[in-house]
Amino acid sequence: MDRQYYNVVSLIRKKRDGGYLTKDEIKYLIDSYTKDELPDYQMSAFLMAVFLNGMNDEEASALAYSMLHSGIVVDLSSVPGVKVDKHSTGGVGDKLSLILAPIVAAAGVPVPMISGRGLGHTGGTLDKLESIPGFNVNLDLDAYEATIKKHNLVFIGQTEDIAPADKRIYALRDVTSTVECIPLIAGSIMSKKLAEGIDALVLDVKHGSGAFLKDVNESKKLGQRLVDIGLQFDKKVIAYLTNMDQPLGYAVGNWFEVVECIDCMKGKWPDDVREVTLLLSGAMIYLGDKADSVDEGVKLAEEMIASGKAYQKWIEIVGEQGGDVSMIENPDSYPKAEFSLEFKAEQDGYINSIDSYLVGMASLELGAGRKKKEAPVDPQAGIMLHKKLGDKIKKGETLLTLFTNKKPYLESAVQILKDAYGISNEQTEIKPMITHIIDKDGLRDFDYSTVPSLKR
Amino acid sequence: MDRQYYNVVSLIRKKRDGGYLTKDEIKYLIDSYTKDELPDYQMSAFLMAVFLNGMNDEEASALAYSMLHSGIVVDLSSVPGVKVDKHSTGGVGDKLSLILAPIVAAAGVPVPMISGRGLGHTGGTLDKLESIPGFNVNLDLDAYEATIKKHNLVFIGQTEDIAPADKRIYALRDVTSTVECIPLIAGSIMSKKLAEGIDALVLDVKHGSGAFLKDVNESKKLGQRLVDIGLQFDKKVIAYLTNMDQPLGYAVGNWFEVVECIDCMKGKWPDDVREVTLLLSGAMIYLGDKADSVDEGVKLAEEMIASGKAYQKWIEIVGEQGGDVSMIENPDSYPKAEFSLEFKAEQDGYINSIDSYLVGMASLELGAGRKKKEAPVDPQAGIMLHKKLGDKIKKGETLLTLFTNKKPYLESAVQILKDAYGISNEQTEIKPMITHIIDKDGLRDFDYSTVPSLKR
């Protein structure tokens, strides 16, 4: 069929006036933009109109569909098994992909993982992997397919072939204040994930102080939209809404997080990391048909840790993708950041709040994140937490240790952190990590009794 | 003072989230855009946010101020007298500037007039003037000043020096569906008008089927905004809201309208053109301190017609600006369009509605307007009305004659016009032309008894 033509100004006007675009109209906009026939200034006006007037379900699906088909959709049908990936909307200290991918792959489920870099206050899986000397995330699609066939696992970044429209729109949103928009976020996530060649997807939608969407209601909407799009594309999907009221685990910063992951794979878990990682792993194993329930999946995940098979899978993939395995086996040999500073409590009491956003921003300030796109990150920079929510602290005790290779950043990071901790005499109750589940049966509160194996 | 720097993404976000920008913030955006430091895609996102979230009074003034000062503000203090211009928001057949400028100049008030070209369904003063062979609207600012000194009158287009930010933003709005937005329209109009070197301004804000803003309530808001900005810049301002339920006069199309203007200057007026032209002229003469009231101004305007002084001024300025005076003196010598067609009534009755927008679009189709920016217009193309609202018509009688140099356009124009006329057995009441006035005392209904000389 001949390509249909639309008047772009009229399409922008329709969205501006609160109307809804057809699938063909959205496809026309995205195709034209990908082919450089539609200039940035028209796309940015359209994105702002979408930001302010929203999109309905059909439009959001059409957007994901059009961005997906702006590039190659990888065909992994030659890889046996149900291919499952996980996506997190991002949070501070969120290193879970690095732990759960080897667990799930070790359990027999192929995990084709295309990840992103850190953005704003949140870290990115690629930056963490690249802190391992030699680790190559820039595989082409042939190497991607060969690697998952061989190891049930592969880690790569978004190539030029994968959803190029998303790549350009993502960059444009960043400079036009159109980032925090549910249909645009959902389209961006799902176009990339659907291009990987997956059969199933587990989503971790964060809320709380360290998340992009702090409000749980916004996270519910995003989670629902992500699940809806996945189901429309005939994928098996489960989304969990999880709490990001404090950084995940104790390590924030690229290499620090890799080290924490190695500990986890050896069974030395921070409670919060353990709970979410095992749940997500269990769900992936369940969707990958290697367990009859999420709970059975969690049990199998624990076996992968206990048996050392997950750690073995990790060593295997690090080696395959060019990483220096000796650093994984002996993390103490890794070079240290030149400067450090202990950030201390100014009063006695219980830690009742940690502003994860500020911890993330301080880590970025120290060099672990990017102030500008494409800037390099410092793998040695970051923050180690000594105490978490609910812990008792004495005045003068260390809350955090900051690490950087640029001394002045210590002072500016301290400035950022000065209001990050809430300490009081009363110990408040810690909220549960996992709050809601969304799947084909809709949204409901998460019921811990359905996954008894999560209990320690 | 050093130039202050702002984060453009944050400024866009502020407007996106319904906030209000400071004068300095708006100035920063406009200055950066003028200097090519801010790309089109950020400006278009900002414009869409303004379209959807609006601007308050301070922001609208700051926008006009910033666009005004993006270029030269002409100093006409060496020209004696109170300099007065008129601006119309544009309508179909709106040729009033060509008649009232010579009237007011002849009455002793200097009229420095910077005009625009036709846009969409509405004609532009520059296109009408350029239908006079040789007429040069591209004077530089020195010639502009010299001409008004010599003749009390000058007609030019927006030069590169006049509000360049407005010129670029105007073009960007056109392709990003951000045109019909009151603060953006007001800023665009006022930045140009204030740059002319005027002391006073009379505004004709149209509503009805032929206007850009069809709804009278939108016109009230625009009029109020225009008056507010003018007053803030210490200009004397009066705005009239006038009815555009049918084309003004009988001629639509560039040279046709010039001919109608010549007739008017000789005292042969269509009623609607006479009423609005005399009122606006009277207001300009009043603001120009050559009459003690608008009514006295109207009387003086009529004298300028009756005495032939207005026509004489017109001949004088046409000659000064290079126009072929013989064409004005003998309009029948003008070359005719090659093709014409009579558009006839399909039933007996009274004309109870004329969709001026469709008449304007048909005229554009015939060649009198632009389908694309910078396209040439055909001075011979256009439409002559034979009947107006309230007139009795018989089936088969001619409603309109269409003129063009491209034959196929006759058929497409007829298609556009097929629903333009409403004819019924009952003669409905004709609405008054002038509906409201806005000045320093605010908005009120227009009271015809305050300007008794308007009566014929």
Side-chain angles (χ1 to χ4, degrees):
Chain A
M1 201 184 84
D2 284 340
R3 183 167 170 220
Q4 190 160 355
Y5 284 87
Y6 294 93
N7 179 319
V8 171
V9 179
S10 303
L11 298 184
I12 300 172
R13 182 187 304 123
K14 199 196 254 193
K15 181 44 68 188
R16 180 197 83 185
D17 294 343
Y20 299 108
L21 273 64
T22 66
K23 186 174 174 176
D24 285 344
E25 287 170 341
I26 288 179
K27 192 168 178 333
Y28 179 77
L29 285 177
I30 299 301
D31 287 353
S32 303
Y33 187 58
T34 309
K35 290 176 187 168
D36 275 331
E37 292 168 6
L38 188 148
D40 285 341
Y41 57 78
Q42 288 185 319
M43 182 53 75
S44 68
F46 177 73
L47 293 171
M48 183 58 81
V50 169
F51 191 103
L52 290 169
N53 286 335
M55 276 185 158
N56 65 16
D57 290 357
E58 289 71 32
E59 288 178 299
S61 298
L63 180 68
Y65 176 89
S66 306
M67 297 205 296
L68 167 63
H69 288 288
S70 69
I72 287 175
V73 181
V74 179
D75 178 5
L76 292 183
S77 57
S78 67
V79 181
V82 180
K83 277 71 69 181
V84 187
D85 192 10
K86 165 256 175 186
H87 180 82
S88 159
T89 58
V92 178
D94 183 359
K95 71 266 311 169
L96 272 48
S97 289
L98 266 56
I99 319 169
L100 61 79
I103 291 174
V104 176
V109 178
V111 181
M113 191 170 268
I114 299 186
S115 302
R117 300 195 178 276
L119 187 68
H121 66 286
T122 67
T125 299
L126 292 187
D127 295 324
K128 293 168 198 176
L129 289 169
E130 284 184 340
S131 75
I132 303 166
F135 199 105
N136 177 20
V137 296
N138 300 311
L139 307 184
D140 64 24
L141 291 179
D142 287 340
Y144 168 77
E145 196 175 336
T147 307
I148 186 152
K149 265 188 186 158
K150 190 168 164 197
H151 298 284
N152 258 0
L153 179 56
V154 63
F155 290 109
I156 66 166
Q158 186 177 3
T159 70
E160 293 297 325
D161 307 322
I162 296 285
D166 168 64
K167 203 166 185 173
R168 289 185 54 192
I169 289 173
Y170 195 85
L172 191 61
R173 283 166 58 207
D174 200 39
V175 292
T176 56
S177 275
T178 50
V179 171
E180 310 90 338
C181 171
I182 286 171
L184 299 180
I185 295 171
S188 176
I189 292 172
M190 295 307 283
S191 64
K192 277 180 295 227
K193 288 291 153 185
L194 295 169
E196 291 174 346
I198 53 169
D199 304 303
L201 182 63
V202 174
L203 292 154
D204 180 8
V205 182
K206 306 286 191 193
H207 53 91
S209 66
F212 267 110
L213 299 176
K214 303 192 187 341
D215 176 13
V216 67
N217 291 316
E218 291 296 296
S219 295
K220 285 178 187 172
K221 283 186 212 160
L222 175 59
Q224 190 65 62
R225 179 84 8 122
L226 292 167
V227 169
D228 287 346
I229 294 172
L231 295 173
Q232 279 157 15
F233 283 83
D234 290 324
K235 307 300 175 188
K236 300 196 276 185
V237 199
I238 303 178
Y240 294 101
L241 270 56
T242 68
N243 209 318
M244 178 48 63
D245 277 339
Q246 61 178 335
L248 265 166
Y250 289 89
V252 179
N254 298 297
W255 176 252
F256 292 117
E257 296 191 43
V258 171
V259 175
E260 191 167 53
C261 289
I262 297 167
D263 287 345
C264 292
M265 283 184 250
K266 292 178 171 174
K268 221 181 103 193
W269 298 93
D271 286 347
D272 54 354
V273 174
R274 176 185 172 278
E275 188 172 313
V276 183
T277 304
L278 287 181
L279 177 69
L280 298 175
S281 301
M284 290 172 78
I285 293 168
Y286 165 65
L287 292 184
D289 283 347
K290 297 293 178 188
D292 291 335
S293 67
V294 174
D295 192 56
E296 292 296 320
V298 170
K299 283 183 191 157
L300 190 51
E302 286 199 291
E303 276 178 44
M304 293 303 111
I305 296 288
S307 64
K309 285 183 182 165
Y311 179 71
Q312 192 47 49
K313 178 59 72 181
W314 169 243
I315 291 290
E316 195 181 302
I317 196 68
V318 169
E320 174 70 34
Q321 294 198 223
D324 182 347
V325 172
S326 74
M327 286 293 176
I328 304 297
E329 289 172 336
N330 184 15
D332 286 343
S333 62
Y334 200 82
K336 303 284 176 293
E338 205 172 340
F339 307 101
S340 67
L341 182 147
E342 300 200 344
F343 182 84
K344 295 179 176 177
E346 294 184 345
Q347 64 181 99
D348 293 354
Y350 293 98
I351 299 177
N352 284 330
S353 70
I354 304 178
D355 188 326
S356 326
Y357 173 77
L358 295 179
V359 175
M361 289 305 288
S363 175
L364 183 158
E365 179 68 20
L366 293 166
R370 288 179 181 80
K371 292 177 192 171
K372 273 188 173 180
K373 247 185 175 30
E374 312 300 328
V377 300
D378 179 352
Q380 299 162 350
I383 296 176
M384 287 299 299
L385 283 76
H386 298 268
K387 303 278 175 180
K388 303 248 308 179
L389 281 184
D391 287 351
K392 203 170 178 179
I393 186 92
K394 281 191 185 303
K395 184 177 172 181
E397 240 185 310
T398 301
L399 288 166
L400 305 169
T401 309
L402 317 185
F403 297 90
T404 185
N405 284 305
K406 299 209 172 155
K407 203 173 178 186
Y409 290 167
L410 289 175
E411 188 45 43
S412 43
V414 165
Q415 278 304 312
I416 291 169
L417 287 165
K418 66 182 179 351
D419 297 322
Y421 277 76
I423 295 172
S424 64
N425 290 327
E426 299 275 307
Q427 188 175 20
T428 52
E429 215 186 330
I430 306 297
K431 290 182 203 156
M433 283 300 292
I434 302 143
T435 60
H436 301 81
I437 176 171
I438 309 172
D439 61 13
K440 63 182 184 334
D441 300 324
L443 165 78
R444 52 213 184 272
D445 289 347
F446 180 72
D447 176 357
Y448 274 85
S449 73
T450 59
V451 193
S453 306
L454 277 188
K455 282 225 182 93
R456 196 138 204 184
Chain B
M1 202 181 82
D2 283 341
R3 185 167 167 219
Q4 190 160 356
Y5 284 87
Y6 294 94
N7 180 320
V8 172
V9 179
S10 304
L11 298 184
I12 300 172
R13 182 187 303 124
K14 199 195 255 193
K15 180 46 66 189
R16 179 198 82 185
D17 294 343
Y20 300 107
L21 274 64
T22 65
K23 185 175 176 177
D24 285 344
E25 287 170 342
I26 288 178
K27 192 168 179 333
Y28 179 77
L29 286 176
I30 300 300
D31 287 353
S32 303
Y33 188 58
T34 309
K35 290 176 187 166
D36 274 330
E37 292 167 7
L38 188 149
D40 285 340
Y41 56 76
Q42 287 186 320
M43 181 52 75
S44 68
F46 177 73
L47 293 172
M48 184 58 82
V50 169
F51 191 103
L52 290 169
N53 285 335
M55 276 186 157
N56 66 16
D57 290 357
E58 289 70 32
E59 288 178 299
S61 299
L63 180 68
Y65 176 89
S66 306
M67 296 205 298
L68 167 62
H69 288 287
S70 69
I72 287 175
V73 181
V74 179
D75 178 5
L76 291 184
S77 57
S78 67
V79 181
V82 180
K83 276 72 68 181
V84 187
D85 192 10
K86 164 257 177 187
H87 180 81
S88 159
T89 58
V92 178
D94 183 358
K95 72 261 319 164
L96 274 46
S97 289
L98 266 56
I99 319 170
L100 62 76
I103 291 175
V104 176
V109 178
V111 181
M113 190 169 268
I114 299 186
S115 302
R117 298 194 179 277
L119 187 67
H121 65 288
T122 66
T125 298
L126 292 187
D127 295 324
K128 292 168 198 175
L129 289 169
E130 285 184 339
S131 75
I132 304 167
F135 199 104
N136 177 21
V137 296
N138 300 310
L139 307 185
D140 64 24
L141 291 179
D142 288 340
Y144 169 76
E145 197 175 334
T147 307
I148 186 154
K149 265 188 188 159
K150 190 168 163 196
H151 298 285
N152 257 0
L153 179 57
V154 62
F155 290 109
I156 67 166
Q158 186 177 3
T159 70
E160 292 297 325
D161 307 321
I162 297 285
D166 167 64
K167 203 164 184 174
R168 289 186 53 193
I169 289 173
Y170 195 86
L172 191 60
R173 284 165 57 206
D174 199 39
V175 292
T176 56
S177 275
T178 50
V179 170
E180 310 88 339
C181 171
I182 287 172
L184 299 180
I185 295 171
S188 176
I189 292 173
M190 295 307 284
S191 64
K192 277 181 294 226
K193 288 290 154 186
L194 294 168
E196 292 174 346
I198 53 168
D199 304 304
L201 183 61
V202 174
L203 293 155
D204 180 7
V205 182
K206 305 286 191 192
H207 53 90
S209 67
F212 267 109
L213 300 175
K214 301 190 187 347
D215 177 11
V216 67
N217 291 315
E218 290 296 296
S219 295
K220 286 178 187 171
K221 284 186 210 159
L222 175 58
Q224 190 66 62
R225 182 78 14 119
L226 292 167
V227 169
D228 288 346
I229 295 172
L231 294 174
Q232 279 156 17
F233 283 84
D234 291 325
K235 308 298 176 190
K236 300 196 275 184
V237 199
I238 303 177
Y240 295 100
L241 269 57
T242 68
N243 208 317
M244 178 48 62
D245 277 338
Q246 62 177 335
L248 264 167
Y250 288 89
V252 178
N254 298 298
W255 174 251
F256 292 117
E257 295 192 41
V258 171
V259 174
E260 190 167 54
C261 289
I262 297 168
D263 287 344
C264 293
M265 284 184 250
K266 292 179 170 173
K268 221 180 104 193
W269 300 93
D271 286 346
D272 54 355
V273 175
R274 176 184 173 277
E275 187 173 314
V276 184
T277 304
L278 287 182
L279 176 70
L280 298 175
S281 300
M284 289 172 78
I285 293 168
Y286 165 65
L287 292 183
D289 282 348
K290 297 292 180 189
D292 291 335
S293 67
V294 174
D295 192 55
E296 291 297 319
V298 170
K299 283 183 192 157
L300 190 51
E302 287 199 289
E303 276 178 44
M304 293 303 111
I305 297 288
S307 65
K309 285 183 182 164
Y311 179 70
Q312 191 48 48
K313 178 61 71 179
W314 169 242
I315 292 289
E316 194 182 300
I317 196 69
V318 170
E320 173 69 35
Q321 294 197 224
D324 183 346
V325 172
S326 75
M327 287 291 176
I328 305 296
E329 289 173 335
N330 184 14
D332 286 343
S333 63
Y334 200 81
K336 304 283 175 295
E338 205 172 339
F339 306 102
S340 67
L341 182 146
E342 299 200 345
F343 183 84
K344 294 179 177 176
E346 295 183 345
Q347 64 181 99
D348 294 352
Y350 293 97
I351 300 176
N352 284 330
S353 70
I354 304 178
D355 188 324
S356 325
Y357 173 77
L358 295 179
V359 175
M361 289 306 287
S363 175
L364 183 158
E365 179 67 22
L366 294 167
R370 289 181 181 77
K371 292 177 191 172
K372 273 189 173 179
K373 248 183 173 31
E374 312 299 327
V377 300
D378 179 351
Q380 298 161 350
I383 295 177
M384 286 300 298
L385 284 75
H386 297 268
K387 302 277 174 180
K388 304 248 310 180
L389 282 183
D391 286 351
K392 203 169 178 180
I393 186 95
K394 281 190 185 306
K395 184 176 173 183
E397 239 184 310
T398 301
L399 288 167
L400 305 168
T401 308
L402 317 184
F403 298 90
T404 184
N405 285 304
K406 299 207 172 156
K407 203 174 178 188
Y409 290 166
L410 289 174
E411 188 46 42
S412 43
V414 165
Q415 278 304 311
I416 292 170
L417 286 166
K418 66 182 176 356
D419 296 322
Y421 277 75
I423 295 172
S424 64
N425 289 328
E426 299 274 308
Q427 187 174 20
T428 52
E429 214 186 331
I430 306 298
K431 290 184 204 156
M433 284 301 292
I434 302 145
T435 59
H436 301 81
I437 176 171
I438 309 172
D439 60 14
K440 61 182 184 338
D441 299 325
L443 166 77
R444 53 212 184 273
D445 289 346
F446 180 72
D447 177 357
Y448 274 85
S449 73
T450 60
V451 193
S453 306
L454 276 187
K455 283 222 182 98
R456 195 134 203 189

